[in-house]
Amino acid sequence: MSEDSNSAILDPISSVTEGCRLPVLMTNGEDWPLAEIISIKDTDAGKVFYVHYIDYNKRLDEWVEEDRLDLRKIQYPRRDLASSTTTGLNTPKKTLTGATNSRPSSPGLTPDPITGPSVLAALQQKQQKLKRRKLDHGEEDDGRRSSIGSLSGSIGGLADIDIPSLTPLTPQPPSTPQQPPASSVPRQTGSLATHSDDHAITRIKNMKMIELGKFRIKPWYFSPYPQEITNLDCIYICEFCLKYRKSRKCLERHLQKCPFKHPPGNEIYRKGSISFFELDGRKNKLYAQNLCLLAKLFLDHKTLYYDTDPFLFYVMTEYDARGYHIVGYFSKEKESSEDYNVACILTLPPYQRKGYGKLLIEFSYELSKFEGKTGSPEKPLSDLGLLSYRSYWKQTILEILIGLKPQEGQEKPQLTINEICEQTSIKKEDVISTLTTLELINYYRGQYILTLNKDLVESHRRMMEKRKIRIDSKNLHWTPKDWAKRGKW
């Protein structure tokens, strides 16, 4: 038996490597779910392990000590699988210098910074290798080039009325969009681009705590703040301009000079204490980038987007005597070929479960109504975002169906899916999926009918009673812009 094998038997913790899976005791619980070892580091107290609980949201990922690992049921990663999935993108060579390193330390990883330029350089380097390989084998380049875009730097009814059916309803299956030619492929991501797990380091939370206004918030996910900031126990963020500082004293000095008491931009909506501000990602670039950095702490399915020029940002605030405090925001493309009315959407954790998420969604559709368009959020949505959208679509559509009355000469009220889309600005595909999920569509005697039961109507009435805050279109002062005619953004 080799010396390494003897040491592994004497010290089983030494056999634990990145990629291993084993049961781990969760914080504040008695459960031992299966978890994957993402990273290992040495501390004065011994080794600590960053784990991801399988089938759990990544916001629960955490550093754990040895005593929370069940080493009796360890599963080692397959070597053939690990080697086959290794690509040049996973470990890009250092091609740029002088950029800020925002990665936490992890054994075996190069200290290259995770920035838009560095990842873009790695992609280009990989592309050049593929081209050289094709030329070496005598293959002709067909002229098609993969599009490498900028990296991101971006969620009352009447109970006593029995409505037996609504007819007719003639849904059409959503048409499959044709792919545009390669030369005109549109941007495929929003102000926070789709996140890839190619960089294992981006799976590790690098922030312990942030202080935003009167709240201290524990971040959920990785965000590429500068490394000298991420090493601190807490960073302090100005809630008006979103600049970050190393200490509370630095923040206090900044607040004495900060000219803002609200987000920069135009206030386009105000009702009660709720206001919405519209910001241009080109005119307010620094604020937009700081907003994306902050949002990335709570959005895992996106990665930071540095080019904010093509986007508009709508920041929702709550007013008090101290100023306008950020509650959440959503961004949208100035020109969207896919009719997206939201690129990224986020309600900050202290304001979640208070109806603000649905208010953001409702406001995005109110803008679509002013534009005379139907819209849909950019996919993929986060788990919480998807729940919020499904709930909003359900409540909005049911509100229309329950309030519908038959016209003169009709036995039952009639409505088409296109009419639902026109009244709500919800895209047809989302309307059909919502009706299907609610099991409202039925095929009867050659036509589709909608059937509502009393239980569904009563459930909707109770939900609408809880929804205290709504968007009032009379308080929206906004004129849509045709960005195609405005030339460069």
Side-chain angles (χ1 to χ4, degrees):
M1 186 176 292
S2 65
E3 184 178 347
D4 292 341
S5 300
N6 287 327
S7 64
I9 293 174
L10 295 175
D11 183 18
I13 200 66
S14 63
S15 65
V16 178
T17 60
E18 295 179 4
C20 288
R21 294 188 174 192
L22 71 170
V24 177
L25 177 63
M26 296 186 74
T27 302
N28 300 327
E30 299 179 355
D31 297 328
W32 290 77
L34 187 66
E36 179 184 354
I37 304 295
I38 304 299
S39 182
I40 305 172
K41 69 179 180 180
D42 293 311
T43 65
D44 295 338
K47 287 186 176 181
V48 290
F49 305 84
Y50 192 83
V51 299
H52 165 63
Y53 299 102
I54 309 300
D55 297 330
Y56 286 79
N57 191 283
K58 289 183 181 178
R59 70 174 68 100
L60 299 176
D61 294 1
E62 59 181 336
W63 289 99
V64 301
E65 297 179 350
E66 176 186 349
D67 58 357
R68 291 172 58 185
L69 305 180
D70 187 352
L71 300 175
R72 298 168 299 175
K73 301 178 181 179
I74 188 169
Q75 303 173 13
Y76 294 98
R78 288 175 51 186
R79 291 185 179 180
D80 56 342
L81 183 62
S83 60
S84 64
T85 56
T86 301
T87 64
L89 185 59
N90 288 340
T91 53
K93 295 181 180 180
K94 190 169 184 178
T95 56
L96 298 175
T97 58
T100 304
N101 185 356
S102 57
R103 297 183 176 189
S105 59
S106 178
L109 292 173
T110 58
D112 300 346
I114 294 292
T115 61
S118 66
V119 180
L120 181 58
L123 288 170
Q124 292 171 335
Q125 186 179 33
K126 182 180 178 183
Q127 199 174 22
Q128 290 172 0
K129 288 182 180 179
L130 292 174
K131 286 184 178 180
R132 285 198 297 268
R133 193 178 305 166
K134 285 184 178 181
L135 293 175
D136 291 341
H137 288 80
E139 297 177 6
E140 295 183 358
D141 189 355
D142 60 359
R144 291 176 298 178
R145 300 179 180 179
S146 61
S147 175
I148 301 179
S150 301
L151 295 179
S152 272
S154 114
I155 336 165
L158 302 177
D160 56 341
I161 297 180
D162 183 14
I163 305 178
S165 65
L166 298 173
T167 180
L169 186 72
T170 55
Q172 299 176 0
S175 58
T176 303
Q178 296 182 352
Q179 293 293 333
S183 60
S184 62
V185 173
R187 175 191 307 272
Q188 297 182 0
T189 56
S191 56
L192 292 176
T194 305
H195 175 39
S196 169
D197 276 340
D198 287 330
H199 292 282
I201 201 65
T202 62
R203 301 174 64 183
I204 302 175
K205 297 177 200 174
N206 59 335
M207 305 279 285
K208 298 178 182 178
M209 192 74 66
I210 66 169
E211 185 170 299
L212 182 69
K214 62 181 180 179
F215 299 107
R216 277 207 165 194
I217 313 170
K218 188 175 182 180
W220 294 352
Y221 308 111
F222 172 91
S223 183
Y225 280 91
Q227 188 177 29
E228 61 269 19
I229 294 290
T230 61
N231 290 334
L232 302 174
D233 291 334
C234 181
I235 71 165
Y236 300 82
I237 300 176
C238 174
E239 59 181 331
F240 303 117
C241 70
L242 302 186
K243 290 182 179 178
Y244 45 87
R245 292 293 182 262
K246 295 181 178 181
S247 66
R248 182 177 281 112
K249 182 173 289 187
C250 291
L251 178 65
E252 290 172 354
R253 287 201 210 103
H254 165 78
L255 291 174
Q256 293 175 358
K257 298 179 289 184
C258 183
F260 300 108
K261 290 299 179 184
H262 57 76
N266 298 322
E267 185 181 13
I268 60 175
Y269 179 89
R270 182 191 295 181
K271 183 177 181 181
S273 61
I274 300 297
S275 291
F276 278 86
F277 291 82
E278 181 186 57
L279 291 81
D280 189 321
R282 181 179 66 85
K283 296 179 180 177
N284 307 106
K285 187 183 293 289
L286 182 59
Y287 182 92
Q289 290 178 344
N290 284 332
L291 178 59
C292 290
L293 274 172
L294 175 64
K296 180 60 189 71
L297 292 171
F298 309 102
L299 293 173
D300 176 56
H301 63 296
K302 304 284 186 176
T303 188
L304 201 59
Y305 196 91
Y306 294 97
D307 179 18
T308 60
D309 289 14
F311 300 94
L312 296 170
F313 296 81
Y314 296 89
V315 182
M316 181 168 68
T317 64
E318 195 173 51
Y319 175 78
D320 64 15
R322 294 177 52 247
Y324 294 80
H325 310 282
I326 180 171
V327 171
Y329 90 104
F330 68 88
S331 60
K332 64 183 292 186
E333 291 181 282
K334 295 174 181 176
E335 291 183 279
S336 174
S337 59
E338 301 294 331
D339 293 330
Y340 292 135
N341 63 356
V342 165
C344 289
I345 186 167
L346 171 71
T347 304
L348 292 172
Y351 297 96
Q352 291 178 0
R353 296 183 175 274
K354 296 181 179 181
Y356 290 118
K358 283 196 180 71
L359 202 66
L360 281 167
I361 296 172
E362 186 178 3
F363 190 78
S364 70
Y365 280 107
E366 198 65 40
L367 296 183
S368 295
K369 291 178 184 178
F370 270 61
E371 294 174 319
K373 301 177 181 178
T374 59
S376 182
E378 185 178 308
K379 313 303 187 297
L381 288 165
S382 66
D383 54 346
L384 297 178
L386 182 60
L387 288 173
S388 297
Y389 265 96
R390 283 178 175 170
S391 178
Y392 173 81
W393 290 334
K394 172 185 174 181
Q395 293 180 11
T396 303
I397 294 173
L398 285 177
E399 193 171 24
I400 290 177
L401 297 181
I402 292 173
L404 193 65
K405 297 180 180 179
Q407 297 181 359
E408 186 177 353
Q410 294 179 348
E411 180 182 354
K412 299 174 182 177
Q414 298 186 7
L415 189 68
T416 66
I417 284 184
N418 285 335
E419 289 173 338
I420 295 177
C421 296
E422 291 174 3
Q423 294 183 41
T424 63
S425 285
I426 301 174
K427 208 166 185 178
K428 183 183 294 185
E429 290 83 350
D430 297 329
V431 172
I432 293 174
S433 68
T434 302
L435 293 175
T436 304
T437 302
L438 292 174
E439 298 181 350
L440 297 183
I441 298 180
N442 296 282
Y443 192 75
Y444 180 71
R445 292 186 178 180
Q447 63 182 350
Y448 289 97
I449 63 171
L450 283 176
T451 304
L452 295 177
N453 56 59
K454 290 184 177 180
D455 291 340
L456 187 61
V457 173
E458 177 63 23
S459 173
H460 172 73
R461 184 188 65 80
R462 290 195 299 267
M463 290 298 295
M464 296 306 292
E465 286 179 350
K466 297 179 182 178
R467 197 167 158 187
K468 301 296 184 182
I469 49 178
R470 300 288 299 272
I471 294 296
D472 187 351
S473 59
K474 297 177 183 178
N475 295 80
L476 176 59
H477 305 285
W478 180 72
T479 303
K481 300 180 180 66
D482 188 350
W483 293 96
K485 295 182 180 179
R486 295 174 67 91
K488 189 175 180 181
W489 301 311

